[in-house]
Amino acid sequence: MIFATLPKSATKEWKTDNNNPGHTFTNPGHSYTEALKRHNKLKSRIDKFPQVRKWLDEIENPIGQHFIDIRYSSIEVNNENYQSWFNTYQKLIGWLQKQTTTL
């Protein structure tokens, strides 16, 4: 999505040992909210769809805990919670894919 919304005049270069074109996006870490702050068009679109914002929160914080924290805890997610998370994930992915053609 980020590449799709770059201006037509932007160069799309990969960083290599011999080429460092720089970039304007800073790493948002594991925060979807921070990632959205770096993509104004997508953030504006999501702000118009409260359900999508809810999906993002559910994806980032399944069972009320940040997904990274779950990874390092002893919490076992049951099948019902996983299926709920996966269904939300699929809805979000479908919505995002539709946005790639309109952003």
Side-chain angles (χ1 to χ4, degrees), residues 7-24:
K8 299 291 182 218
S9 61
T11 23
K12 298 171 184 162
E13 301 179 66
W14 290 104
K15 180 178 178 180
T16 65
D17 290 338
N18 299 324
N19 181 42
N20 185 357
H23 57 82
T24 58

Side-chain angles (χ1 to χ4, degrees), residues 51-64:
Q51 184 62 44
V52 175
R53 178 62 78 172
K54 184 179 176 212
W55 291 341
L56 277 169
D57 185 55
E58 289 175 23
I59 298 298
E60 189 169 18
N61 299 292
I63 64 172

Side-chain angles (χ1 to χ4, degrees), residues 43-73:
K43 183 182 179 314
S44 294
R45 183 77 50 92
I46 287 174
D47 287 344
K48 294 175 186 173
F49 293 91
Q51 184 62 44
V52 175
R53 178 62 78 172
K54 184 179 176 212
W55 291 341
L56 277 169
D57 185 55
E58 289 175 23
I59 298 298
E60 189 169 18
N61 299 292
I63 64 172
Q65 190 171 3
H66 195 273
F67 72 96
I68 293 298
D69 297 334
I70 292 172
R71 191 169 134 191
Y72 296 107
S73 74

Side-chain angles (χ1 to χ4, degrees), residues 72-85:
Y72 296 107
S73 74
S74 60
I75 297 172
E76 290 270 344
V77 178
N78 64 35
N79 286 341
E80 183 180 327
N81 285 334
Y82 175 76
Q83 193 59 51
S84 174
W85 176 89

